[in-house]
Amino acid sequence: MGSTSDYYSLFSDYLMNQKANSANTRESYLRDTLYYLEYLSQVGVDPLVADEQAVQGYVDHLHELKRSPTTISRNLASVRCFYKFLIFRGMTDCNPAKGIKLEKTAKKLPQVLSGEEIELLLAQPDITEPKGCRDKAMLELLYATGIRASELINLNIQDLNLRSGVLYCRGTKGIRSIPVYPSAVVAVSDYIYRMRGLITGPESGNALFVNLNGGRLTRQGFWKIVKGYATEAGITKEITPHTLRHSFALHLLENGASVKDIQTMMGHADISSTQVYVQLLDSHVKQVYNNCHPKAKLG
């Protein structure tokens, strides 16, 4: 039997050296597992002797704290991974989280922006200033390629071929090539050649997007940027950088792109992750019909 810190440290080393997960996934696993270990400590149960009832107690505890179904599901996945690690290390021979079932909830469709809202958002940055020019380039590139915010901030200058209009995105599954539409190429070129040199510093390196102190931009920093421009644009939807990724996928689908091609561009390992946009498109078409068909309005 060990302490919470012992288990946490061993699990952290395992995720770092054995599992091919992204940094964000590792952080989620570790954060969730720490909460679980702290819960077990409070109820006086060692992880090695915890049974299914103990894990169910933790799930019930999360429900009592009003955690969302998504958060609870992610926590349970993290606990399952933790016990797979213990089995791998020969510290236990069973996974008490394996048999825990959660109530299925209706999956919420992602929020997207309309074409008009995208144009409004892209029009907000003041490109006469270094910050606005950088922000315009980031927003254009995110909507042009549908990459994740974490992938955007990790881009280096050499990851973009401006002459060919192609972005090379380095994800956990390798490098994928994504076309970039001309106005996004212009926005990024303008930032690189006219403004980037005004805000770079010793720590900038090859980072494509840097903050005003010269360091690589963070996800939190970019999140605030998107929220700020959404407010300035008068967009009332609750949006995040991921909203632009969802909008990219839906707008491609609306204009005839195949689900398989969208999966490739977005870097989805499983096509089921991409097929949610088919549901979103069906929902969107139905909403347009109900709002615009004269007979539907009468109902």
Side-chain angles (χ1 to χ4, degrees), residues 160-166 185 189 193:
L160 191 64
N161 187 325
L162 295 171
R163 186 182 297 273
S164 301
V166 177
V185 171
S189 299
Y193 296 116

Side-chain angles (χ1 to χ4, degrees), residues 121-143:
L121 186 67
L122 296 178
Q124 297 311 307
D126 179 1
I127 61 173
T128 65
E129 298 290 339
K131 178 183 181 301
C133 187
R134 178 205 64 191
D135 296 349
K136 169 76 169 176
M138 287 193 297
L139 293 174
E140 286 274 11
L141 195 58
L142 195 65
Y143 178 60

Side-chain angles (χ1 to χ4, degrees), residues 162-232:
L162 295 171
R163 186 182 297 273
S164 301
V166 177
L167 174 72
Y168 300 100
C169 184
R170 304 171 191 277
T172 56
K173 302 295 181 181
I175 301 175
R176 62 189 193 275
S177 305
I178 311 169
V180 182
Y181 57 68
S183 60
V185 171
V186 170
V188 178
S189 299
D190 187 38
Y191 159 68
I192 291 175
Y193 296 116
R194 189 167 63 92
M195 294 295 193
R196 183 178 177 276
L198 300 179
I199 56 177
T200 50
E203 297 181 1
S204 301
N206 291 323
L208 178 57
F209 297 115
V210 297
N211 60 35
L212 297 183
N213 294 319
R216 189 181 290 272
L217 198 71
T218 64
R219 283 197 308 154
Q220 292 82 358
F222 184 52
W223 185 87
K224 290 178 181 177
I225 288 168
V226 173
K227 297 285 284 187
Y229 287 126
T231 300
E232 289 179 23

Side-chain angles (χ1 to χ4, degrees), residues 11-12 15-17 19-31:
F11 188 44
S12 177
L15 291 177
M16 184 66 69
N17 300 315
K19 298 280 285 182
N21 294 315
S22 68
N24 292 335
T25 300
R26 285 197 300 271
E27 289 173 11
S28 293
Y29 278 161
L30 288 171
R31 182 174 60 249

Side-chain angles (χ1 to χ4, degrees), residues 1-190:
M1 294 187 181
S3 67
T4 293
S5 60
D6 290 337
Y7 289 120
Y8 181 85
S9 179
L10 288 170
F11 188 44
S12 177
D13 290 342
Y14 167 75
L15 291 177
M16 184 66 69
N17 300 315
Q18 300 290 334
K19 298 280 285 182
N21 294 315
S22 68
N24 292 335
T25 300
R26 285 197 300 271
E27 289 173 11
S28 293
Y29 278 161
L30 288 171
R31 182 174 60 249
D32 295 343
T33 301
L34 181 60
Y35 290 155
Y36 171 67
L37 292 172
E38 289 176 343
Y39 166 81
L40 290 185
S41 178
Q42 290 169 6
V43 297
V45 177
D46 188 274
L48 296 184
V49 298
D51 55 13
E52 189 172 301
Q53 185 176 356
V55 178
Q56 184 62 57
Y58 176 61
V59 171
D60 293 341
H61 172 66
L62 294 176
H63 280 295
E64 290 169 3
L65 294 176
K66 308 296 184 186
R67 298 292 187 258
S68 70
T70 301
T71 297
I72 295 174
S73 179
R74 192 200 65 223
N75 268 262
L76 186 57
S78 299
V79 173
R80 287 192 183 112
C81 183
F82 171 65
Y83 278 105
K84 286 179 183 177
F85 150 70
L86 294 180
I87 293 171
F88 172 77
R89 287 291 300 266
M91 300 171 72
T92 185
D93 58 3
C94 67
N95 189 335
K98 187 175 181 180
I100 302 295
K101 304 293 183 186
L102 299 177
E103 291 184 14
K104 288 190 176 180
T105 56
K107 195 168 184 179
K108 189 177 179 182
L109 292 175
Q111 181 78 275
V112 295
L113 298 178
S114 67
E116 293 79 6
E117 287 170 328
I118 289 288
E119 292 301 328
L120 268 174
L121 186 67
L122 296 178
Q124 297 311 307
D126 179 1
I127 61 173
T128 65
E129 298 290 339
K131 178 183 181 301
C133 187
R134 178 205 64 191
D135 296 349
K136 169 76 169 176
M138 287 193 297
L139 293 174
E140 286 274 11
L141 195 58
L142 195 65
Y143 178 60
T145 61
I147 60 176
R148 301 170 179 88
S150 57
E151 293 171 334
L152 180 81
I153 62 170
N154 284 321
L155 288 175
N156 292 319
I157 292 177
Q158 61 268 30
D159 294 329
L160 191 64
N161 187 325
L162 295 171
R163 186 182 297 273
S164 301
V166 177
L167 174 72
Y168 300 100
C169 184
R170 304 171 191 277
T172 56
K173 302 295 181 181
I175 301 175
R176 62 189 193 275
S177 305
I178 311 169
V180 182
Y181 57 68
S183 60
V185 171
V186 170
V188 178
S189 299
D190 187 38

